[in-house]
Amino acid sequence: GQQLNQSPQSMFIQEGEDVSMNCTSSSIFNTWLWYKQDPGEGPVLLIALYKAGELTSNGRLTAQFGITRKDSFLNISASIPSDVGIYFCAGRLGTNAGKSTFGDGTTLTVKP
Amino acid sequence: GAVVSQHPSRVICKSGTSVKIECRSLDFQATTMFWYRQFPKKSLMLMATSNEGSKATYEQGVEKDKFLINHASLTLSTLTVTSAHPEDSSFYICSGTETSGSYEQYFGPGTRLTVT
């Protein structure tokens, strides 16, 4: 099946710093999604990308759909303590939401 | 909008007993709901796809007789873990997709199952 490599696996940063994480795939996707999961909670959709090259922002978050359709990145600017959590990327080829392939997650720790 | 709830949030049961987990879409109609399992510090693993009024479709390696799924209405799907064993202990998360508009899935808050 399709494989997603998400990096880094974990990050420890100082409050106020910018963060960047990315996902790469061995095959193309038509949709890239970024989720955040807080401890003991379900994932929450942050940004959805549907077009190669698309750059989308959601507050301090910015994500891009790579032009090759095999990668995506998520940037968080001016991190704050509540940004702590696990960030998952997910890629999908068709429209069936359940056929999304999830990355292994990036655990973000923000030191005040 | 697009809120999904799960009940219970935590459950502890003895080996051999069955446990039912409910997943409800609170403000939208979900023709399709998905059930995932998540191990500590791991990603989400899709177990099955549940369509309202029809049988669930299970992913390879998931025992349909052990993980019974019912999707009786557009707002409710249930997962029953039958004859639970300690290895079934996990975090179970459901999600739903709307019948119109965005086809993205909205996740519930998860249910922590511990089998003793």
Side-chain angles (χ1 to χ4, degrees):
Chain A
Q2 294 168 314
Q3 297 279 332
L4 275 189
N5 292 312
Q6 185 171 349
S7 65
Q9 189 174 25
S10 60
M11 302 182 75
F12 296 82
I13 62 168
Q14 208 71 37
E15 182 177 359
E17 289 182 354
D18 297 343
V19 171
S20 185
M21 59 191 79
N22 70 84
C23 274
T24 59
S25 170
S26 57
S27 53
I28 63 173
F29 288 116
N30 290 331
T31 301
W32 280 98
L33 307 158
W34 286 93
Y35 294 88
K36 182 190 179 204
Q37 185 177 26
D38 290 328
E41 298 290 332
V44 173
L45 181 64
L46 300 173
I47 293 177
L49 303 159
Y50 300 107
K51 191 175 176 182
E54 182 181 355
L55 182 71
T56 298
S57 293
N58 177 5
R60 292 178 296 106
L61 278 60
T62 302
Q64 183 157 33
F65 191 142
I67 198 72
T68 65
R69 294 161 66 195
K70 292 184 178 181
D71 63 312
S72 177
F73 71 74
L74 174 71
N75 287 343
I76 305 173
S77 63
S79 58
I80 59 178
S82 62
D83 290 334
V84 164
I86 304 176
Y87 292 79
F88 289 101
C89 65
R92 190 173 72 232
L93 189 56
T95 58
N96 183 342
K99 293 305 178 185
S100 299
T101 301
F102 284 83
D104 286 338
T106 295
T107 301
L108 179 63
T109 302
V110 180
K111 303 174 203 173
Chain B
V3 179
V4 175
S5 70
Q6 277 183 244
H7 178 80
S9 58
R10 289 178 173 270
V11 58
I12 300 172
C13 70
K14 293 186 183 297
S15 285
T17 61
S18 295
V19 173
K20 180 186 283 188
I21 302 170
E22 291 186 349
C23 177
R24 294 182 185 272
S25 57
L26 299 185
D27 54 0
F28 68 100
Q29 293 187 324
T31 50
T32 304
M33 286 183 166
F34 304 96
W35 286 95
Y36 292 84
R37 185 172 179 177
Q38 187 179 31
F39 293 100
K41 303 193 182 215
K42 293 293 183 184
S43 191
L44 288 79
M45 183 188 79
L46 180 65
M47 298 174 66
T49 301
S50 166
N51 290 299
E52 185 262 337
S54 63
K55 290 184 179 180
T57 302
Y58 290 82
E59 296 298 302
Q60 192 172 14
V62 178
E63 298 176 61
K64 62 179 182 180
D65 294 329
K66 180 164 187 63
F67 299 99
L68 300 179
I69 291 172
N70 183 276
H71 192 161
S73 76
L74 285 172
T75 59
L76 173 64
S77 176
T78 60
L79 168 68
T80 301
V81 183
T82 63
S83 187
H85 289 100
E87 56 265 30
D88 298 326
S89 299
S90 193
F91 194 53
Y92 292 88
I93 310 174
C94 71
S95 70
T97 57
E98 297 184 72
T99 55
S100 61
S102 165
Y103 289 98
E104 299 311 330
Q105 52 187 325
Y106 298 93
F107 288 90
T111 296
R112 172 74 58 194
L113 170 63
T114 303
V115 184
T116 60

